[in-house]
């Protein structure tokens, strides 16, 4: 990189559906988190280049009820917005679990925690708030068409409601459809969603994702003289997409869309959005990631700069930003990097997460590292599991740990896991059969498990476990003496760790897994 460049994506790994807001010189960005716990990671920046994770918006069980949620349910598409008229931050989202539905939480300071949720009286997904200078507030969201009016599969609408800020509730009877289908319903556009309203030069701009969150994903824009419409689409839609280009292009970024705009430190607009970097077999293992591009809003409508040509892996820093601090002084790393965790600090790094429940329920940081108390729950169950997870952030990577453990029975296993969902994952760990100890590699596809390989071992001390991936090719190795790594199972496909095979909305999670309900029986 040149001195004035930084890498895209700004958040690598499963950090999808970004939303961004600004208060003074401070920028805050949030992402979807599905059934991960805590939920809605939140990042802070002063310059849109250097990002620091300050925590999670939903970090208490009173806010996040995902204990029986499939991995791709839970939290969808959070929207964060600072309301300058009452000096309050709002985060509004859809929680597909725990009977929650659409919710809103608030705070005066995102670094000091957020309120308990207020449930909102409307259906649909992807809600976003808009605060107007006349004191009025609105919620826009995706919804199904009125009953009996769905014209085709994927036909959706954007609705707007007036919002009572004192009650933190939509005002009954004020809902109105402002977009039906998308830019041109005659073309049968699918999945108009992720709406945001912006005001510029006295006009209201409605920006939405269109085309579904896969290969036809895009961002489109509409304009109106009134927040409740009618909204007229820009003649040049879409304003961001990667759908038109060669499949084998270099440094491929795809699925771009689901964007949010903010005024940058150089008084120029920028947009954050999701995209993917598929591996050499065009599979998506690391999930939807957060990208950023400058936005040209010199004309009537905003357009993402270089958002309609194949995206590059690096971009210029905003004018006036002098240093790229990625990976230094606690700032989030990007590009190529190594991350080492010794579990010696008092506070667990925010990058380590649980699934469906708090990490503190199963883990303790000790002088020897992290100690996990295994639940009698298997990784295939839709329950909180005793696993510490870290998002896969590169197509080519290695992930290793040193484990000090002796299983007491066949029901006990500890090791590492590569998990796309409860039905698609690998488990690589130590267990027992009879009086013997084994290292075992298990593959689970569509919820059905099979043992790829197992090896009887002499377990006299710590064992090192490692997985290395080069694109789709994964190799699992272990060492009993701190020396040479021995491979188990040969070269294994990462196909089941891709959304192409597993479906869903997440990326692969790399986990430190322990269970007292093991069913991976060595051969």
């Amino acid at each position: 990189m040149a001195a004035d460049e930084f890498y895209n994506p700004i958040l690598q790994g499963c950090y999808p559906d970004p939303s961004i807001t600004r208060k003074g010189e401070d920028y805050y960005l949030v992402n979807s988190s599905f059934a991960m716990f805590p939920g809605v990671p939140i990042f802070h920046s002063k310059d849109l280049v250097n990002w620091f994770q300050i925590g999670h918006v939903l970090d208490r069980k009173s806010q996040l009820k995902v204990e029986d949620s499939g991995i791709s349910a839970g939290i969808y598409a959070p929207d964060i917005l600072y309301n300058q008229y009452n000096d309050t931050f709002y985060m509004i989202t859809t929680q597909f679990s725990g009977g929650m539905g659409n919710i809103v939480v608030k705070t005066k300071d995102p670094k000091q925690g957020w309120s308990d949720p207020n449930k909102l009286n409307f259906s649909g997904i992807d809600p976003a708030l808009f605060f107007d200078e006349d004191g009025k507030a609105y919620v826009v969201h995706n919804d199904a068409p009125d009953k009996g009016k769905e014209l085709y599969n994927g036909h959706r609408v954007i609705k707007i409601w007036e919002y009572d800020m004192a009650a933190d509730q939509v005002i009954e009877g004020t809902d109105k459809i402002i977009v039906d289908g998308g830019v041109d319903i005659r073309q049968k556009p699918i999945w108009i969603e992720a709406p945001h309203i912006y005001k510029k030069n006295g006009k209201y701009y409605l920006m939405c994702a269109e085309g579904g969150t896969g290969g036809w994903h895009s961002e489109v824009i509409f304009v109106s003289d009134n927040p409740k419409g009618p909204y007229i689409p820009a003649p040049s839609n879409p304003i961001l997409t990667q759908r038109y280009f060669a499949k084998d292009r270099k440094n491929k970024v795809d699925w771009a869309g689901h964007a949010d705009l903010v005024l940058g430190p150089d008084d120029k607009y920028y947009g954050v959005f999701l995209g993917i970097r598929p591996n050499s077999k065009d599979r998506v293992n690391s999930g939807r990631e957060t990208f950023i591009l400058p936005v040209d809003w010199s004309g009537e409508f905003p357009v993402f700069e270089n958002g309609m040509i194949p995206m590059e892996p690096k971009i210029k820093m905003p004018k006036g930003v002098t240093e790229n601090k990625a990976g230094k002084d606690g700032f989030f790393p990007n590009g190529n990097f190594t991350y080492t965790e010794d579990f010696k600090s008092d506070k667990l790094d925010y990058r380590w997460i649980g699934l469906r429940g708090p990490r503190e329920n199963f883990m303790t940081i000790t002088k020897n590292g992290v100690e996990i108390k295994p639940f009698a729950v298997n990784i295939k169950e839709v329950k909180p599991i005793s696993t510490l997870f870290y998002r896969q952030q590169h197509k080519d990577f290695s992930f290793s740990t040193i484990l000090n453990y002796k299983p007491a029975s066949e029901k006990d296993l500890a090791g590492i896991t590569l998990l796309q969902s409860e039905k698609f994952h690998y488990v690589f760990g130590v267990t027992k059969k009879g009086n013997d100890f084994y290292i075992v590699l298990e593959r689970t596809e569509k919820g059905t498990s099979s043992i790829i390989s197992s090896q009887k071992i002499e377990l006299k001390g710590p064992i090192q476990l490692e997985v290395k991936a080069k694109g789709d090719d994964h190799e699992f190795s272990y060492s009993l003496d701190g020396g040479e790594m021995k491979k188990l199972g040969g070269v294994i496909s990462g196909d089941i760790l891709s959304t192409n095979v597993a479906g869903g909305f997440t990326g692969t999670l790399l986990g430190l897994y322990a269970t007292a309900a093991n069913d991976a029986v060595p051969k």
Side-chain angles (χ1 to χ4, degrees):
M1 287 190 300
D4 63 345
E5 292 176 329
F6 68 112
Y7 281 126
N8 242 344
I10 52 172
L11 302 179
Q12 293 172 219
C14 181
Y15 294 99
D17 308 329
S19 175
I20 192 168
T21 196
R22 176 181 181 178
K23 177 188 178 182
E25 295 180 349
D26 296 296
Y27 295 88
Y28 297 93
L29 184 152
V30 295
N31 301 97
S32 290
S33 55
F34 308 103
M36 301 167 201
F37 200 111
V40 188
I42 179 166
F43 297 85
H44 172 259
S45 178
K46 292 279 191 183
D47 52 24
L48 301 180
V49 174
N50 302 299
W51 291 93
F52 192 96
Q53 187 169 1
I54 59 171
H56 293 81
V57 175
L58 305 178
D59 57 7
R60 306 187 300 277
K61 290 180 79 172
S62 59
Q63 298 169 308
L64 187 58
K65 300 182 183 297
V66 290
E67 57 270 15
D68 56 0
S69 167
I71 196 171
S72 281
I75 297 295
Y76 279 31
D79 169 66
I80 189 171
L81 192 62
Y82 172 65
N83 182 358
Q84 61 180 316
Y85 307 111
N86 66 358
D87 188 29
T88 302
F89 289 85
Y90 293 74
M91 194 284 295
I92 185 171
T93 189
T94 311
Q95 186 168 167
F96 272 108
S97 56
M100 298 293 278
N102 290 298
I103 59 169
V104 65
V105 294
K106 300 191 297 187
T107 187
K108 291 288 186 181
D109 182 356
K111 296 176 182 176
Q112 298 299 321
W114 295 72
S115 68
D116 275 349
N118 206 55
K119 290 176 68 172
L120 300 169
N121 298 331
F122 61 89
S123 59
I125 62 168
D126 294 8
L129 283 157
F130 171 69
F131 303 108
D132 209 348
E133 54 208 13
D134 62 3
K136 287 191 172 180
Y138 304 88
V139 170
V140 283
H141 65 96
N142 156 295
D143 210 344
D146 291 342
K147 196 171 182 183
K149 293 191 176 179
E150 185 172 338
L151 302 178
Y152 52 89
N153 187 31
H155 177 199
R156 290 296 181 270
V157 302
I158 300 297
K159 278 187 181 176
I160 191 167
W161 299 74
E162 293 177 25
Y163 185 78
D164 181 341
M165 284 192 290
D168 279 312
Q169 189 56 264
V170 292
I171 299 171
E172 190 177 349
T174 62
D175 55 312
K176 179 185 177 186
I177 292 173
I178 52 174
V179 173
D180 186 5
V183 168
D184 183 356
I185 198 166
R186 295 170 300 178
Q187 302 295 320
K188 297 185 177 179
I190 58 170
W191 299 109
I192 191 78
E193 58 191 5
H196 295 282
I197 293 177
Y198 311 95
K199 192 172 187 180
K200 187 172 184 280
N201 298 332
K203 290 188 178 290
Y204 298 87
Y205 292 85
L206 173 69
M207 191 174 75
C208 305
E210 188 185 278
T213 192
W216 202 248
H217 207 197
S218 70
E219 201 69 19
V220 296
I221 192 90
F222 306 78
V223 67
S224 178
D225 292 323
N226 187 293
K228 297 188 82 169
Y231 280 91
I232 309 302
S236 55
N237 280 317
I239 59 172
L240 166 71
T241 192
Q242 294 288 289
R243 68 191 179 202
Y244 299 121
F245 313 123
K247 293 279 185 197
D248 59 352
R249 61 190 182 272
K250 192 180 176 186
N251 297 321
K252 182 178 178 180
V253 173
D254 214 349
W255 301 8
H258 200 116
D260 196 7
L261 302 180
V262 74
L263 193 61
D266 52 358
D267 285 328
K268 181 181 179 68
Y269 280 89
Y270 289 80
V272 291
F273 56 95
L274 72 77
I276 55 112
R277 294 175 298 152
N279 66 25
S280 56
K281 295 203 172 170
D282 214 33
R283 292 191 181 126
V284 184
N285 289 41
S286 51
R288 296 160 171 85
E289 306 175 298
T290 291
F291 292 76
I292 192 169
L293 280 178
V295 172
D296 181 353
W297 206 340
S298 57
E300 183 181 4
F301 295 101
V303 177
F304 285 75
E305 293 183 15
N306 297 328
M308 297 292 294
I309 62 173
M311 281 180 59
E312 295 291 330
K314 54 189 182 181
I315 58 173
K316 296 283 186 189
M317 295 198 291
K319 209 172 192 178
V321 181
T322 57
E323 189 180 357
N324 182 347
K325 302 175 186 173
K328 302 178 210 166
D329 303 325
F331 286 97
F332 214 65
N334 73 349
N336 298 316
F337 60 85
T338 298
Y339 171 62
T340 303
E341 175 61 79
D342 59 11
F343 296 110
K344 294 268 173 76
S345 28
D346 295 336
K347 199 168 159 188
L348 187 65
D349 191 284
Y350 291 125
R351 284 172 278 189
W352 293 100
I353 53 170
L355 196 54
R356 305 186 191 94
R359 300 156 299 186
E360 296 73 20
N361 287 359
F362 60 82
M363 57 138 286
T364 311
I365 292 179
T366 75
K367 63 181 181 184
N368 298 317
V370 67
E371 185 176 288
I372 294 178
K373 184 179 180 181
F375 295 158
V377 176
N378 191 278
I379 200 165
K380 293 190 278 288
E381 296 182 72
V382 183
K383 295 177 181 177
I385 55 178
S386 41
T387 310
L388 261 186
F389 284 109
Y390 182 99
R391 294 163 174 87
Q392 179 184 329
Q393 296 180 295
H394 299 91
K395 290 177 272 189
D396 302 341
F397 73 92
S398 66
F399 177 71
S400 64
T401 188
I402 295 171
L403 173 67
N404 196 353
Y405 173 70
K406 274 198 173 176
S409 76
E410 293 180 10
K411 288 293 182 186
D412 297 320
L413 178 143
I416 59 179
T417 181
L418 280 69
L419 180 133
Q420 179 62 233
S421 75
E422 52 275 0
K423 292 185 176 180
F424 293 85
H425 53 259
Y426 287 105
V427 167
F428 180 50
V430 179
T431 188
K432 200 173 186 185
K433 185 178 180 182
N435 293 319
D436 298 317
F437 299 109
Y438 281 81
I439 184 90
V440 62
L441 177 59
E442 180 190 61
R443 173 185 169 102
T444 298
E445 181 175 4
K446 297 181 182 175
T448 300
S449 299
S450 59
I451 302 299
I452 292 174
S453 186
S454 61
Q455 177 66 49
K456 188 161 76 168
I457 57 174
E458 294 248 351
L459 192 57
K460 294 178 178 176
I463 179 170
Q464 184 174 357
L465 302 174
E466 180 180 69
V467 57
K468 283 187 175 179
K470 189 163 180 59
D472 189 65
D473 295 337
H474 291 62
E475 292 183 327
F476 295 83
S477 305
Y478 67 96
S479 171
L480 299 171
D481 55 9
E484 181 188 357
M485 301 294 290
K486 298 177 181 176
K487 290 178 184 172
L488 188 73
V491 177
I492 307 295
S493 172
D495 55 353
I496 60 167
L497 303 175
S498 69
T499 51
N500 314 61
V501 173
F505 300 115
T506 61
T508 299
L509 300 178
L510 312 174
L512 306 177
Y513 170 51
T515 180
N518 174 52
D519 64 356
V521 180
K523 290 179 179 177

